[in-house]
Amino acid sequence: MLGGAGPAAATGVAGDRLFPSTLLIEDTQDDDEIALPTIGYLRRGTNGDTTGGRDLSISTEYSRLLTPDLSALIGTGWHRLSGAGATRYGWDNLDIGVKYRTIVSAPDEFLLSTALIYEAGGTGAVRIGAEPVDTVQPVVSFGRGLGDLPRDLEWLRPAAVAGALGMSLPTAGGTPAIVHYGASLQYSLIYRDQHTGLPTPDWASGLVPLIEFAVDSPAGRSYGTYTTATAGPGIAWIGDKVQLTAEALVPLTSHTGRGIGVITQVHLFLDELVPALFGKPLFSGD
């Protein structure tokens, strides 16, 4: 795929490495793309303003390239929370932001992106936990492939690590600042098939097994909000026009939730699906 007509020019690529879209942490992707939809289910714990219960969420995020390295994004989601004899429905706050591909090192298969995301407080429903105040979140995300390892470690060359660090800063009092951080470990059978001499079955050549770890922790005054942590083991399938991902949601603290949940995503590469409209930055300088 990386050598053909697939998303080889994608901004989630560093050298021979394609970093997949991640579901629990901010990723390095900033192409013409849309997550349509991301669906999650988890029995959440009570935490701050969020009441515990069975949470069915459906969300989407759209990204559009402005320049070869800068994109604009917009996203929101809908929740159905049920528990304690009541069911609540509502939308999340609207997120608007920009993401910049900051550093790319092809020989090192290293990619770093920076983003600034604005959450418009009051645009969502307080009854499902949407905050009434605006927040601003700077984020740094990175990916590092291990393709430069020596040939005697060829079995490890398809592996990669990704990570993200951000902080949601409220613009008014009464809401805690939240530090978001996490990491993803990935083993790309796409890379194994195309860039190593190791045998890979045809049916597995588009797969990327992975596991994510995501943590949200209050900084400073917590206002009754506790740290939540989630593990997400799963698998992604990446084709020329779409990435399909499914992960289990494993709560690591009681305030995160109970039992095992699930999250899935259909991630569309719009530059490949509709090349007449997408695939070229709005401001390319041509």
Side-chain angles (χ1 to χ4, degrees):
M1 179 183 63
L2 293 179
T11 51
V13 169
D16 293 328
R17 180 74 54 173
L18 170 64
F19 297 99
S21 173
T22 47
L23 308 190
L24 302 186
I25 63 173
E26 189 70 34
D27 57 36
T28 58
Q29 298 273 5
D30 64 343
D31 294 314
D32 292 337
E33 57 194 21
I34 187 169
L36 188 68
T38 303
I39 301 175
Y41 175 82
L42 182 65
R43 294 182 65 188
R44 297 195 178 277
T46 300
N47 193 17
D49 294 332
T50 302
T51 302
R54 295 182 295 275
D55 182 7
L56 172 65
S57 62
I58 303 173
S59 62
T60 186
E61 182 177 282
Y62 168 66
S63 174
R64 181 68 169 99
L65 276 177
L66 302 178
T67 74
D69 295 310
L70 179 69
S71 67
L73 59 89
I74 184 170
T76 189
W78 177 89
H79 290 263
R80 178 184 184 273
L81 286 169
S82 57
T87 300
R88 301 171 300 284
Y89 305 85
W91 290 91
D92 284 323
N93 287 335
L94 185 68
D95 290 331
I96 303 170
V98 291
K99 185 182 290 186
Y100 182 68
R101 182 174 62 168
T102 310
I103 299 173
V104 182
S105 175
D108 299 316
E109 297 180 351
F110 177 78
L111 175 60
L112 184 141
S113 296
T114 52
L116 186 65
I117 301 171
Y118 166 73
E119 179 182 327
T123 56
V126 175
R127 62 182 175 273
I128 56 96
E131 295 291 349
V133 302
D134 299 346
T135 63
V136 177
Q137 180 185 176
V139 188
V140 177
S141 56
F142 76 92
R144 173 67 162 94
L146 303 185
D148 56 353
L149 289 175
R151 290 292 176 176
D152 56 352
L153 292 175
E154 192 163 41
W155 63 273
L156 193 54
R157 293 177 60 232
V161 61
L165 173 64
M167 177 179 281
S168 295
L169 302 170
T171 59
T175 301
I178 303 292
V179 179
H180 311 277
Y181 58 96
S184 171
L185 303 177
Q186 308 162 5
Y187 192 84
S188 175
L189 297 177
I190 303 171
Y191 193 101
R192 177 186 171 106
D193 179 53
Q194 298 185 358
H195 302 291
T196 77
L198 301 173
T200 305
D202 290 342
W203 62 266
S205 60
L207 299 178
V208 183
L210 55 85
I211 183 170
E212 297 186 64
F213 298 93
V215 180
D216 295 337
S217 185
R221 186 174 177 181
S222 67
Y223 295 97
T225 299
Y226 297 89
T227 296
T228 61
T230 308
I235 194 165
W237 177 84
I238 303 176
D240 290 343
K241 298 177 174 63
V242 63
Q243 174 183 323
L244 306 176
T245 309
E247 299 179 15
L249 292 176
V250 184
L252 302 180
T253 71
S254 60
H255 290 284
T256 306
R258 296 182 295 163
I260 305 298
V262 66
I263 186 169
T264 64
Q265 184 183 84
V266 178
H267 190 97
L268 304 177
F269 305 124
L270 295 177
D271 53 345
E272 298 294 334
L273 283 167
V274 194
L277 298 177
F278 302 100
K280 183 178 181 180
L282 290 177
F283 311 105
S284 62
D286 294 340

